[in-house]
Amino acid sequence: MQQPGLFDSSPIPARNHSTSVMIAPTFESFRDAAREMLRLNRSPDQIWWVETDEAEPPGSASTAQARVSAQFVKIAQFVACHASPDRWTLLYRVLWRLTRGEPYLLALSGDPDVARMRRYEKMVRRDLHKMKAFVRFRQVSSVAGERFVAWFEPDHAIVKLAGDFFVRRFTNMRFSVLTPVGCVHWEGEGQLVFTQGLSAAVKLADSLDDLWKAYYENIFNPARVKVDAMRSEMPQKYWKNLPEAQLIPALLLAADARTDQMIQAAPQVSVLNCGSPPEGYQTVLQRSVQDDSRPALARIADATRACRACELWEPASQAVPGEGTPKARIMLVGEAPGDQEDLLGRPFVGPAGQLLDTLLAELNATREMLYLTNAVKHFKFRVTARRRLHQRPQAREVAACRNWLLQEIEVVNPQRIVCLGATAAAAVLGHPIRLRDVPPLGFELQGRQVMPTIHPAAVLRAADPSSKRAHLRADLQQALLGLI
Ligand code: URA
């Protein structure tokens, strides 16, 4: 029987043979839901995994048991922490195959699913190792006494995995490790507490005091304010020496309004590119685009993540939206994300991006001065025994994605658009061109200068890269002229 809450089909209505499975983004929540799905004999392509904070707590939904090897569980605990939104689909697919006639699957290291799972596991383990090695604590005074605080930015949601390690090592200190993906606090005497992550913007805080203040503001729960209790715990005369105490009067003033907001806030549901999309995903997409309380570029980014206008979303790890200065005067448009971009969810972070950064640095510019995006937002590839090989997107895939590019152009409103390669040029101009036919000053399009040039990957591929490199460098120099 379906469990209420866990298999809640709203707000994405499930179609006949497709189930939206709501899970919290934890291994335990996935494990419970996956067991139940196996019991119901739901194949991986029938399931649409949806992450939500509103899922049933682990262990409360299903008692169904599936026998899987300890080896799978061990790997899965790491994979569950990976940042890629397809991890649940991947885990369930492997689980399905293990329990449906392929018990020795994990021994096949060349199998694409196994290879991907191992790759995710390795990335998470490496991240965990970095966190253990590089976290540095500083002592701060807080309302509740002395505490050691550290800020760290892991690539994956590894804070829970790291918690036990820090407790073992620093048992006698009260500490907090703050990260964008979750925070862990040790109060001593067995009290290990996990709270939500902090916005990465907090890292811009000048000092740890600022950071702690920002954190305090973040966890401040207006519905729980007990002013008298606060004053008796910490008499007001001591507040002046505590970084976060300066925030309290303003927070108290705003508390009523924030309580109302918290009550009205809709539960957060993120739609993941997993499984086959149930009917109704357009509704989610539409809502994401129309919710104008969020910055336009963030809404476009969300919409690209939910986009199913072509098939490229399915094998890709995630969409790669544009990034950079929201009002940049120059926009750089590439073809499509590559392998590294697909894994990290950011444009131009692989070899082509590194060349781009080098050329920009030679011209006294940085990517932060620009807006970088791609004509197509999902990685297109074919799998060989060793790697995922980039494939050029077809015209229909470029056309399917063009809507998002045009919206980015409209919002950023750049004066110049540099198209890296013919695919980008066709996407921006709306018709194919030959790079060798581009006039010296490019094209004019709705008041903007469109400057097609060669792609950095063409430089990297060239037998003799020096002339191609000089070509790209000269075009970038011309594009930056007078605007940077
Ligand atoms: N190539 C592109 O066109 N875009 C990227 O983001 C990376 C490589």
Side-chain angles (χ1 to χ4, degrees):
M1 201 183 77
Q2 280 203 342
Q3 304 293 323
L6 183 60
F7 308 124
D8 187 355
S9 58
S10 62
I12 311 165
R15 78 178 161 208
N16 279 352
H17 297 290
S18 160
T19 307
S20 298
V21 182
M22 318 283 278
I23 54 166
T26 63
F27 168 74
E28 292 75 19
S29 181
F30 167 79
R31 180 199 56 204
D32 290 354
R35 275 182 185 154
E36 185 62 9
M37 288 291 111
L38 286 177
R39 193 182 68 79
L40 295 172
N41 212 21
R42 291 290 161 98
S43 64
D45 60 355
Q46 292 178 304
I47 301 179
W48 176 250
W49 296 96
V50 179
E51 273 185 14
T52 169
D53 294 336
E54 302 292 301
E56 291 278 294
S60 62
S62 170
T63 51
Q65 292 294 325
R67 291 185 62 82
V68 284
S69 67
Q71 189 192 12
F72 172 79
V73 174
K74 202 164 154 203
I75 302 170
Q77 282 170 334
F78 286 96
V79 175
C81 301
H82 195 278
S84 170
D86 75 348
R87 64 199 185 284
W88 309 121
T89 307
L90 174 66
L91 284 176
Y92 188 70
R93 203 162 49 225
V94 173
L95 192 55
W96 177 262
R97 293 177 60 192
L98 282 169
T99 55
R100 297 293 188 277
E102 296 182 76
Y104 304 111
L105 177 63
L106 295 183
L108 306 177
S109 52
D111 179 274
D113 284 341
V114 176
R116 192 174 187 120
M117 204 169 86
R118 287 294 194 180
R119 194 169 66 234
Y120 284 6
E121 179 201 5
K122 200 164 155 196
M123 290 165 80
V124 172
R125 281 185 186 276
R126 200 180 305 133
D127 206 28
L128 190 60
H129 172 74
K130 275 194 294 183
M131 183 164 182
K132 290 176 183 173
F134 298 129
V135 157
R136 297 284 175 270
F137 287 98
R138 301 249 299 274
Q139 198 167 7
V140 297
S141 300
S142 101
V143 171
E146 295 291 297
R147 152 178 307 270
F148 290 84
V149 179
W151 168 254
F152 189 74
E153 288 180 52
D155 294 330
H156 305 282
I158 53 171
V159 174
K160 287 203 172 142
L161 288 181
D164 286 342
F165 165 82
F166 287 115
V167 170
R168 273 199 311 278
R169 177 168 287 186
F170 305 112
T171 314
N172 298 326
M173 299 168 19
R174 293 171 64 232
F175 67 78
S176 293
V177 185
L178 312 179
T179 88
V181 291
C183 302
V184 53
H185 313 270
W186 174 243
E187 306 300 331
E189 295 162 12
Q191 278 193 63
L192 187 62
V193 178
F194 294 97
T195 57
Q196 288 199 339
L198 277 172
S199 144
V202 167
K203 72 172 184 226
L204 300 175
D206 280 344
S207 64
L208 210 64
D209 275 3
D210 287 348
L211 175 65
W212 186 247
K213 261 201 247 177
Y215 174 68
Y216 190 78
E217 185 167 17
N218 222 274
I219 57 161
F220 185 83
N221 180 347
R224 292 227 193 112
V225 173
K226 296 211 174 34
V227 180
D228 291 344
M230 268 167 68
R231 290 205 172 105
S232 71
E233 279 289 311
M234 173 56 62
Q236 218 163 337
K237 66 179 177 178
Y238 297 119
W239 286 12
K240 67 178 186 303
N241 296 327
L242 303 177
E244 73 276 28
Q246 297 148 23
L247 297 166
I248 292 174
L251 289 171
L252 287 176
L253 266 180
D256 282 350
R258 289 185 57 197
T259 308
D260 287 351
Q261 270 173 18
M262 280 169 63
I263 292 167
Q264 282 166 15
Q268 266 200 341
V269 176
S270 47
V271 180
L272 307 180
N273 57 345
C274 307
S276 49
E279 277 164 22
Y281 78 91
Q282 292 95 336
T283 324
V284 177
L285 196 135
Q286 215 43 35
R287 213 188 19 244
S288 156
V289 180
Q290 281 167 4
D291 169 12
D292 52 13
S293 64
R294 303 181 54 233
L297 287 173
R299 283 185 279 133
I300 297 171
D302 274 359
T304 62
R305 292 186 186 105
C307 181
R308 305 290 181 262
C310 73
E311 302 76 47
L312 294 186
W313 65 274
E314 196 164 10
S317 309
Q318 58 192 313
V320 179
E323 67 174 34
T325 302
K327 287 288 163 206
R329 296 204 279 181
I330 303 173
M331 178 183 274
L332 258 53
V333 182
E335 180 178 287
D339 182 71
Q340 305 271 312
E341 288 80 13
D342 170 79
L343 292 174
L344 296 174
R346 297 184 52 208
F348 288 105
V349 290
Q354 281 158 24
L355 174 61
L356 198 59
D357 283 340
T358 308
L359 292 174
L360 290 172
E362 286 175 18
L363 300 168
N364 298 319
T366 64
R367 63 166 62 209
E368 286 76 26
M369 298 170 172
L370 316 171
Y371 188 87
L372 263 58
T373 191
N374 282 297
V376 170
K377 308 293 193 243
H378 284 106
F379 180 34
K380 179 170 182 178
F381 60 94
R382 76 186 162 78
V383 182
T384 69
R386 288 162 46 81
R387 345 187 355 218
R388 298 188 299 168
L389 283 183
H390 161 270
Q391 286 190 300
R392 172 167 295 175
Q394 290 173 355
R396 69 184 163 78
E397 290 150 350
V398 175
C401 220
R402 189 159 181 258
N403 174 32
W404 308 128
L405 176 65
L406 297 185
Q407 289 199 33
E408 287 179 302
I409 295 175
E410 195 178 317
V411 171
V412 176
N413 195 16
Q415 289 176 34
R416 276 186 203 141
I417 304 177
V418 180
C419 306
L420 300 167
T423 305
V428 172
L429 294 167
H431 57 82
I433 57 152
R434 285 197 306 204
L435 289 180
R436 74 176 91 101
D437 297 339
V438 173
L441 291 179
F443 303 93
E444 201 261 3
L445 183 75
Q446 293 163 349
R448 306 181 214 285
Q449 192 179 359
V450 177
M451 304 174 75
T453 182
I454 55 172
H455 194 286
V459 179
L460 297 175
R461 278 196 306 265
D464 171 17
S466 59
S467 67
K468 281 209 157 37
R469 186 184 196 279
H471 175 165
L472 178 59
R473 188 181 190 278
D475 283 353
L476 286 174
Q477 188 169 28
Q478 193 190 340
L480 299 175
L481 202 68
L483 292 189
I484 292 292

